[in-house]
């Protein structure tokens, strides 16, 4: 009897879900992190009544499959790991997870208590090494060839400073403590004018560039911090880094990781990396880069969802975020979080899988495509 009821439910789900794959998508206005950059969002959603029905049916199927366990959810419950006790930096204006620029790799991994979860190429020619436990206590650390820390990043409550600046501090407090932000940053032999739109400030402190990102949807409070040794910045030959397959993969995984760290902050289920949809995302980024356009609809008139179906990706719910011109995945992510439509996708609890595809145009500017879905 249970098998018969389960078969009926599966047939019902297959029948009612098909129209959702063909639903018209909503176009939202773009928002930029820098004046010359742009990004857009499309998404498809079920109505609330259908979602409630789906939840109920899913729970009934779970009970039929294993009536002693009740409903089961994918990656919704995590072991609670204690946050580190943060100490005032010993030698630097800022530390992240009690790590400072100049520490050795051995010191970092003794402090953090683990080896990296992932290591991928960054825009400075080094690697971002991510450390976390199910994206809790998330920190990215970049080492030079001598295993000395040259870069740090976090978007979690791991920031300590001698000026009491921390995650959640106001922009006004930051500027009162640190003074006037930089308006120009030098890469190699070129000076670049910063156009931040109030989304971040850059400070040159103690031979380091400190970028402090603000959440415009949380009263312009500190939401992330990046610290880079200024020698690494000066050694860059331009704003954009020469493309390579390693940099492409680095930007893709870095955008995935910072997205999941943000979802962890908000108590949301973590996204699972999907290699299949990454291929779809890469093809769209490459198409835009090669043909010099920026749109969710490609030159053949295909929507994001038609492109997914063409690649045999089946979904009940899907969304796509695009960004162009941001110098790294960190800037792309922080910009997307300050745009309400993109933010809704990043923080959508019903989306469960993500693939990121990056491509570069002839000027080395990256195109980012993020494709989320649930099946």
């Amino acid at each position: 009897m249970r098998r018969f009821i389960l078969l009926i439910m599966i047939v019902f789900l297959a029948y009612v879900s098909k129209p959702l794959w063909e639903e018209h998508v909503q176009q939202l206005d773009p928002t930029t992190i820098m004046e010359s950059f742009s990004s857009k969002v499309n998404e498809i959603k079920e109505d609330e009544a259908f979602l409630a029905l789906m939840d109920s049916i899913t729970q009934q199927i779970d009970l039929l499959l294993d009536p002693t366990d009740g409903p089961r959810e994918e990656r919704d419950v995590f072991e609670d790991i204690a946050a580190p006790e943060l100490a005032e930096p010993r030698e630097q204006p800022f530390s992240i997870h009690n790590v400072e620029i100049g520490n050795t790799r051995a010191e970092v991994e003794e402090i953090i208590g683990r080896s990296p979860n992932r290591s991928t190429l960054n825009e400075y020619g080094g690697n971002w090494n991510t450390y976390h436990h199910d994206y809790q206590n998330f920190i990215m650390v970049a080492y030079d060839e001598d295993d000395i820390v040259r870069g740090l990043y976090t978007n979690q409550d791991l920031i300590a400073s001698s000026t009491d600046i921390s995650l959640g501090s106001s922009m006004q407090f930051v500027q009162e403590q640190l003074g006037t932000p930089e308006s120009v940053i030098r890469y190699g032999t070129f000076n670049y004018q910063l156009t931040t739109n109030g989304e971040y400030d850059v400070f040159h402190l103690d031979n380091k560039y400190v970028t402090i990102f603000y959440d415009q949807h949380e009263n312009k409070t500190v939401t992330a911090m990046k610290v880079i040794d200024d020698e690494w910045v000066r050694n860059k030959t331009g704003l954009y880094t020469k493309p390579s397959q390693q940099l492409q993969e680095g930007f893709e995984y870095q955008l995935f990781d910072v997205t999941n760290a943000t979802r962890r902050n908000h108590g949301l289920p973590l996204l699972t990396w999907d290699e299949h949809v990454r291929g779809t995302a890469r093809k769209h980024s490459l198409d835009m880069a090669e043909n010099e356009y920026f749109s969710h609809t490609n030159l053949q008139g295909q929507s994001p969802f038609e492109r997914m179906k063409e690649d045999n990706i089946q979904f009940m719910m899907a969304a796509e975020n695009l960004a162009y011109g941001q110098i790294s995945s960190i800037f792309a992510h922080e910009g997307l979080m300050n745009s309400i439509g993109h933010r809704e996708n990043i923080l959508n609890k019903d989306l469960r899988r993500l693939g990121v595809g990056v491509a570069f145009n002839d000027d080395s500017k990256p195109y980012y495509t993020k494709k989320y879905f649930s099946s």
Side-chain angles (χ1 to χ4, degrees), residues 2 58-72:
R2 285 179 178 170
T58 300
Q59 291 178 16
Q60 293 303 314
I61 291 175
D62 281 333
L63 287 170
L64 285 172
L65 293 174
D66 191 347
T68 62
D69 287 347
R72 293 174 296 194

Side-chain angles (χ1 to χ4, degrees), residues 56-337:
S56 175
I57 292 173
T58 300
Q59 291 178 16
Q60 293 303 314
I61 291 175
D62 281 333
L63 287 170
L64 285 172
L65 293 174
D66 191 347
T68 62
D69 287 347
R72 293 174 296 194
E73 297 179 317
E74 181 184 4
R75 295 179 65 81
D76 285 3
V77 179
F78 308 97
E79 181 184 356
D80 191 22
I81 304 299
E85 183 177 345
L86 300 178
E88 184 175 312
R90 293 172 297 174
E91 300 178 5
Q92 311 285 328
F94 292 96
S95 66
I96 295 177
H97 204 308
N98 294 321
V99 176
E100 300 178 34
I101 300 294
N103 282 151
T104 66
R105 181 189 289 266
E107 289 171 335
V108 170
E109 296 186 0
E110 182 180 358
I111 292 168
I112 295 176
R114 62 188 303 131
S115 56
N117 300 73
R118 196 195 311 276
S119 181
T120 53
L121 187 65
N122 64 32
E123 67 273 24
Y124 300 101
N127 279 17
W128 279 126
N129 296 268
T130 60
Y131 298 86
H132 60 86
H133 189 284
D134 278 337
Y135 291 95
Q136 187 174 3
N137 296 336
F138 176 83
I139 178 175
M140 295 166 63
V141 183
Y143 303 103
D144 65 15
E145 62 276 9
D146 297 318
D147 278 342
I148 303 300
V149 176
R150 299 299 184 190
L152 297 167
Y153 168 84
T154 191
N155 57 3
Q156 295 188 346
D157 191 10
L158 300 172
I159 299 167
S161 76
S162 56
T163 56
D164 294 327
I165 293 171
S166 62
L167 203 78
S169 295
S170 69
M171 176 192 286
Q172 179 180 349
F173 180 73
V174 169
Q175 294 178 352
E176 287 173 353
Q177 297 300 309
L178 301 182
T180 303
E182 298 294 313
S183 60
V184 174
I185 191 167
R186 188 174 184 85
Y187 292 109
T189 59
F190 297 93
N191 290 327
Y192 290 89
Q193 184 74 37
L194 294 173
T195 306
T196 69
N197 295 326
E199 296 186 18
Y200 65 93
D201 284 327
V202 179
F203 300 92
H204 194 205
L205 307 170
D206 193 26
N207 298 316
K208 294 155 193 72
Y209 281 101
V210 179
T211 305
I212 299 179
F213 297 92
Y214 304 109
D215 190 331
Q216 296 191 332
H217 299 285
E218 296 289 342
N219 300 315
K220 293 188 176 181
T221 51
V222 175
T223 191
M225 176 180 290
K226 184 181 76 165
V227 185
I228 297 291
D229 189 299
D230 62 2
E231 183 179 0
W232 271 29
V233 176
R234 292 195 308 271
N235 286 342
K236 285 191 69 180
T237 57
L239 182 62
Y240 296 104
T241 304
K242 182 179 179 181
S244 68
Q245 181 180 347
Q246 291 74 26
L247 186 64
Q248 176 190 38
E249 293 178 350
F251 279 3
E252 290 168 348
Y253 284 121
Q254 289 154 25
L255 191 48
F256 174 80
D257 285 337
V258 296
T259 298
N260 257 344
T262 294
R263 286 174 70 94
R264 191 70 159 92
N265 291 345
H266 291 262
L268 297 171
L270 297 182
L271 296 164
T272 300
W273 177 263
D274 192 280
E275 191 67 23
H276 191 178
V277 84
R278 176 216 230 174
T280 306
R282 270 189 175 182
K283 285 191 293 185
H284 189 58
S285 289
L286 182 61
D287 189 38
M288 291 189 293
E290 289 182 340
N291 293 289
E292 299 182 346
Y293 75 96
F294 185 60
S295 174
H296 293 282
T297 302
N298 67 16
L299 299 182
Q300 288 70 47
Q302 292 177 308
S303 73
F305 314 111
E306 289 169 331
R307 288 186 272 107
M308 290 176 70
K309 288 196 289 183
E310 183 177 68
D311 287 345
N312 297 315
I313 298 168
Q314 297 191 3
F315 55 91
M316 291 294 297
M317 183 177 186
E320 180 176 271
N321 284 353
L322 302 181
Y324 159 69
Q326 285 87 346
I327 61 175
S328 72
S329 291
I330 288 174
F331 278 90
H333 173 74
E334 299 300 337
L336 292 171
M337 279 296 291

